[in-house]
Amino acid sequence: MIEGPYFVLVVLGALWCGVAAGVFAAFSTFVMRGLGALPAARGIAAMNSINIAAVTPAFMAVFLGAAVLCAVIAVVTFVLWPEHATVELLLGCALYLAGSFGVTVLANIPRNETLAKLAGDEESEGSAAYWRTYLSEWVMWNHIRGGAALAASASFVLALT
């Protein structure tokens, strides 16, 4: 049974990963659809603006906070090696760290950086073509990182039961 500060840590991990999953779900279900309905130049400009605005303490606390919590939970789990729920705890950590944080770093951020380079050239046909590709690929990777965050949260909840 998980108890004391370790219990609190796992509850916080479940909550933080769940909140991150919610943010990713919001983007997949309506934000990106709304941006995709705009003319390419406006969609590019809006997404570039969102990408700049996203780097705030509030969003970073959710996104990076979940990653830090998962890393701490993984270390504590390896040190304590609890009799029950070890697999669920380590799986939850791996799901968030690789499936959400890793996918963001390796898939979403590079696409955002390429999109940022189109600033000032949003009206060109090349930019419009990249925007269509960007929407499709970015949303696919966003689904993956959202699903991974949700699965991590569920894994932590299972570990607590």
Side-chain angles (χ1 to χ4, degrees):
M1 175 94 182
I2 299 171
E3 299 175 333
Y6 192 26
F7 176 85
V8 173
L9 191 64
V10 175
V11 167
L12 289 174
L15 291 172
W16 247 265
C17 289
V19 169
V23 171
F24 297 141
F27 264 82
S28 286
T29 59
F30 62 88
V31 172
M32 296 307 286
R33 286 182 188 211
L35 294 176
L38 296 172
R42 290 181 56 205
I44 292 168
M47 188 64 187
N48 279 332
S49 182
I50 289 169
N51 287 334
I52 291 166
V55 186
T56 63
F59 177 73
M60 289 296 124
V62 170
F63 179 66
L64 295 177
V68 169
L69 278 168
C70 288
V72 170
I73 291 168
V75 169
V76 171
T77 300
F78 275 115
V79 169
L80 296 179
W81 205 261
E83 191 174 316
H84 302 289
T86 303
V87 170
E88 292 89 341
L89 292 166
L90 294 177
L91 179 62
C93 295
L95 282 165
Y96 190 85
L97 291 171
S100 290
F101 186 79
V103 165
T104 299
V105 170
L106 297 174
N108 294 90
I109 290 175
R111 284 166 176 76
N112 292 345
E113 290 171 345
T114 300
L115 192 70
K117 292 175 185 171
L118 302 180
D121 189 34
E122 294 94 346
E123 299 288 340
S124 75
E125 183 52 41
S127 293
Y130 180 73
W131 176 242
R132 289 186 295 276
T133 300
Y134 174 90
L135 281 171
S136 171
E137 292 176 355
W138 194 96
V139 169
M140 177 196 66
W141 286 112
N142 193 59
H143 288 336
I144 291 168
R145 66 186 184 163
L150 182 60
S153 182
S155 190
F156 290 142
V157 169
L158 287 174
L160 294 169
T161 60

